[in-house]
Amino acid sequence: MEETQHVAVFDFGSQYTQLIVRRVRELGYFAKLYSPEDISEIGTPGAIILSGGPKSTSEPDAPDIDFEKLKSYGVPVLGVCYGMQLLNIKFGGSVKASNKREYGPAMLAPTTHEDLYADVSAESQVWMSHSDTVQDLHDDVEVIASNQHGTPVSLKWPGGFFGIQFHPEVTHSHEGNKILNNFLNQAEKLQPFHIEDFKREMIEGIREVVGERQVVCGVSGGVDSTVLAVLLKEAGVNTRAIFVDNGLLRKNEAAEVQANFKRMKVDIETVDATDRFLDALAGKDDPEEKRKIIGNMFIDVFWDAVGDAEMLAQGTLYPDVIESASNAKSKASVIKTHHNRVPKILELQEQGKVLEPLAELFKDEVRELGASLGIEKDILNRHPFPGPGLAVRCPGAVDRHRLNIIRDCDAVFIGKLKEHGWYDKVWQAYAGLIPVKTVGVKGDERSYEWATNLRAVISEDAMTAEWVDLPAQLLREASQDILNEVSGINRVLYDISTKPPASIEWE
Ligand code: XMP
């Protein structure tokens, strides 16, 4: 994407920085995150936001920004929390350090109903998370809002510089979006972001980068890889799309994925590696070992199929890019290496052979792009499905028999969710297997069979999740059908665990 007229957001390390980018995009403008050191590499932005951060401006290694360069862009600047304190210092004021943290809701009372506070209520709840506060103010500054104690929490400096002590990007700031939008309205050069324009630019970019080379991509049937493959087709580049059937997919999934791509006129090569995966997994019951086997096997199978790639395309999204960049910068221990950043891929990346056209988009934008590429709603709204597939829904060892039982239970449950209009309301749902036998009665006979667990959750980012209070009738029908139709199961349980402490999958 051409980096003109977008909103440049400088990251000072706040946990909410990514949310600022999201909010700006939701308000209809393109926004991108930058490190303050990269201030000369932001093109020609239409507006600039300085994020919050965990440090105090008085700490010796507190992050800084080149103020002269910042001013030279001549566009409105909004400092949020740490960003506001930094601006106050740059404008000749001072900041009072405190070791007491103000965290939670506060009342905002604007002293003006212009610019940032146009149409904002006389009293509005905002979310605070800071320990420092501005102290001395320079003569030129105007206090444009205070809190309930009369402390200044929002400032305006000459030249289109604004500061807010609170976080407009979190939903607990009730009029946060309005305040952000008011700020963006100050930016005359900012242009609305349309996915259609973005798509055009992406397609041109892909053609330019790829040229005559052949691009290989992996498809799973999930949203990101499907959008990627269709985008490559739309760009008209020479593409090979490879679909690995690891034998751990849901009922009829491989056939459905093939049919979906056929309808979209994208040729895919299917590699049926069921035997390789299931043989390697035989008798393995340790969750981490199972995951490792599946992950390594996928790489082997995929690269065997790829051979010598001239180029590899991946459906990496913006949150993954941000996460990898911050992992690389903060020397913090990396909890998991993203599967799009394994050594083989890093090597190709160094040779300029990796294409990641979706790397500036959030998931909802990928769906929007997919819709504009004509991809069916059912495909775009599919629930997430983990790479290791049904293996993480079957504690203990997996085998064909167990996998088939899970497939049958899952098909009934998902079918019921669709029938009752709940599939699109939940974030993810599935049936798993609890391979523990319990006693029951089937017909006139004693049964001694396994149990299935049904799980349906709502989540925003998979980091936390709530179980869904599904209608009893839906659960009743799912249970009845499973008990009647799936041999090997005599008990149906509904998982009512939140994450944390549980996780969404069972392994
Ligand atoms: P957990 O079980 O950690 O799952 O709460 C969070 C989300 O991530 C999905 N998941 C995975 N996705 N590869 C993936 O692509 C994986 O190894 C993997 N493990 C879990 C899970 O389905 C849920 O949406």
Side-chain angles (χ1 to χ4, degrees):
M1 173 86 180
E2 265 282 298
E3 284 167 9
T4 50
Q5 293 138 348
H6 70 301
V7 180
V9 180
F10 285 106
D11 182 9
F12 289 99
S14 152
Q15 53 173 328
Y16 302 129
T17 308
Q18 209 189 107
L19 260 186
I20 300 182
V21 176
R22 289 203 66 131
R23 294 290 175 253
V24 173
R25 292 201 189 177
E26 282 162 15
L27 290 167
Y29 302 97
F30 192 66
K32 249 181 106 168
L33 210 55
Y34 298 93
S35 158
E37 299 113 63
D38 297 336
I39 185 153
S40 299
E41 292 157 36
I42 61 173
T44 49
I48 295 175
I49 297 178
L50 310 183
S51 86
K55 295 258 179 191
S56 159
T57 47
S58 56
E59 286 177 57
D61 56 348
D64 198 5
I65 197 155
D66 180 342
F67 191 47
E68 290 310 312
K69 185 72 200 167
L70 185 65
K71 282 194 290 191
S72 74
Y73 286 107
V75 297
V77 176
L78 175 69
V80 176
C81 201
Y82 182 89
M84 159 158 138
Q85 289 146 13
L86 196 57
L87 285 180
N88 194 44
I89 292 174
K90 299 293 180 191
F91 275 103
S94 68
V95 167
K96 184 169 70 180
S98 159
N99 46 20
K100 217 175 90 208
R101 195 163 185 84
E102 181 187 7
Y103 183 81
M107 254 329 145
L108 174 85
T111 53
T112 166
H113 289 286
E114 284 173 16
D115 39 59
L116 282 200
Y117 299 107
D119 272 338
V120 173
S121 316
E123 283 205 330
S124 183
Q125 181 188 297
V126 290
W127 193 257
M128 296 284 185
S129 173
H130 66 110
S131 27
D132 292 2
T133 47
V134 292
Q135 185 162 269
D136 298 324
L137 304 175
H138 193 255
D139 295 344
D140 285 342
V141 73
E142 197 186 322
V143 175
I144 51 174
S146 306
N147 66 8
Q148 66 271 35
H149 310 298
T151 311
V153 292
S154 183
L155 303 174
K156 179 182 175 184
W157 295 272
F161 282 76
F162 297 91
I164 50 182
Q165 180 64 75
F166 52 90
H167 288 273
E169 66 276 20
V170 301
T171 49
H172 311 291
S173 289
H174 291 165
E175 292 178 271
N177 266 356
K178 198 183 276 175
I179 296 168
L180 261 186
N181 200 33
N182 285 340
F183 166 69
L184 298 172
N185 283 340
Q186 313 293 311
E188 286 158 13
K189 288 198 269 169
L190 210 54
Q191 286 205 336
F193 166 67
H194 296 298
I195 203 81
E196 287 292 331
D197 301 334
F198 198 80
K199 183 175 81 179
R200 254 193 309 278
E201 284 177 26
M202 281 169 109
I203 288 178
E204 279 166 25
I206 291 171
R207 287 184 185 141
E208 204 171 299
V209 172
V210 174
E212 298 300 311
R213 290 186 278 183
Q214 184 183 62
V215 188
V216 182
C217 66
V219 291
S220 66
V223 179
D224 309 338
S225 63
T226 304
V227 171
L228 175 70
V230 176
L231 187 69
L232 292 171
K233 184 198 97 174
E234 195 76 10
V237 294
N238 177 1
T239 308
R240 265 183 79 200
I242 297 172
F243 170 57
V244 174
D245 179 353
N246 59 7
L248 300 165
L249 303 177
R250 289 162 289 189
K251 191 167 184 173
N252 298 330
E253 186 165 4
E256 275 167 21
V257 169
Q258 284 162 336
N260 289 344
F261 279 101
K262 199 161 180 196
R263 273 200 314 285
M264 295 185 284
K265 303 200 167 38
V266 175
D267 291 329
I268 62 169
E269 291 170 36
T270 301
V271 180
D272 184 355
T274 303
D275 291 342
R276 281 179 75 176
F277 278 88
L278 296 191
D279 288 350
L281 284 168
K284 306 290 184 200
D285 58 8
D286 177 71
E288 278 312 298
E289 193 184 359
K290 284 163 68 182
R291 277 179 171 273
K292 269 199 198 107
I293 291 171
I294 297 166
N296 292 336
M297 181 64 77
F298 180 84
I299 292 171
D300 288 352
V301 170
F302 183 70
W303 288 104
D304 278 356
V306 169
D308 245 347
E310 288 182 307
M311 266 206 114
L312 176 81
Q314 305 198 102
T316 313
L317 304 193
Y318 197 43
D320 305 329
V321 174
I322 298 174
E323 197 180 314
S324 306
S326 64
N327 279 345
K329 271 206 176 115
S330 72
K331 292 165 192 78
S333 62
V334 178
I335 294 170
K336 65 168 189 195
T337 305
H338 197 270
H339 58 274
N340 288 359
R341 292 283 177 273
V342 296
K344 173 103 183 167
I345 289 173
L346 293 176
E347 192 185 307
L348 287 177
Q349 209 165 25
E350 270 174 27
Q351 300 162 4
K353 291 183 174 175
V354 176
L355 181 69
E356 296 182 319
L358 310 181
E360 295 198 327
L361 300 181
F362 287 104
K363 190 86 173 187
D364 47 337
E365 294 166 332
V366 172
R367 290 206 172 93
E368 212 185 315
L369 174 66
S372 101
L373 286 163
I375 299 174
E376 294 160 24
K377 208 169 135 264
D378 278 359
I379 299 178
L380 296 175
N381 291 341
R382 262 173 53 132
H383 289 174
F385 185 65
L390 301 181
V392 293
R393 297 177 177 175
C394 179
V398 295
D399 58 32
R400 283 179 167 74
H401 176 57
R402 292 180 175 198
L403 290 168
N404 280 334
I405 289 182
I406 298 181
R407 288 187 179 110
D408 288 342
C409 294
D410 187 71
V412 170
F413 184 41
I414 297 296
K416 285 293 166 200
L417 286 170
K418 289 186 174 164
E419 208 180 301
H420 286 257
W422 274 85
Y423 183 85
D424 288 335
K425 291 192 224 164
V426 309
W427 193 80
Q428 187 171 12
Y430 67 84
L433 180 71
I434 307 175
V436 170
K437 286 192 174 174
T438 64
V439 175
V441 193
K442 269 194 177 176
D444 293 329
E445 299 200 1
R446 173 186 188 270
S447 72
Y448 188 52
E449 292 174 318
W450 289 324
T452 180
N453 61 304
L454 310 184
R455 185 125 169 87
V457 296
I458 289 184
S459 172
E460 249 187 57
D461 50 11
M463 301 299 287
T464 60
E466 296 267 358
W467 59 273
V468 182
D469 198 358
L470 290 175
Q473 183 59 21
L474 189 164
L475 291 171
R476 188 173 296 117
E477 288 176 25
S479 165
Q480 225 160 31
D481 287 2
I482 289 171
L483 293 175
N484 284 335
E485 294 165 18
V486 184
S487 75
I489 294 290
N490 68 355
R491 212 169 276 276
V492 179
L493 310 176
Y494 188 52
D495 186 343
I496 53 168
S497 325
T498 54
K499 172 182 179 175
S503 51
I504 296 175
E505 306 293 350
W506 271 40
E507 283 190 345

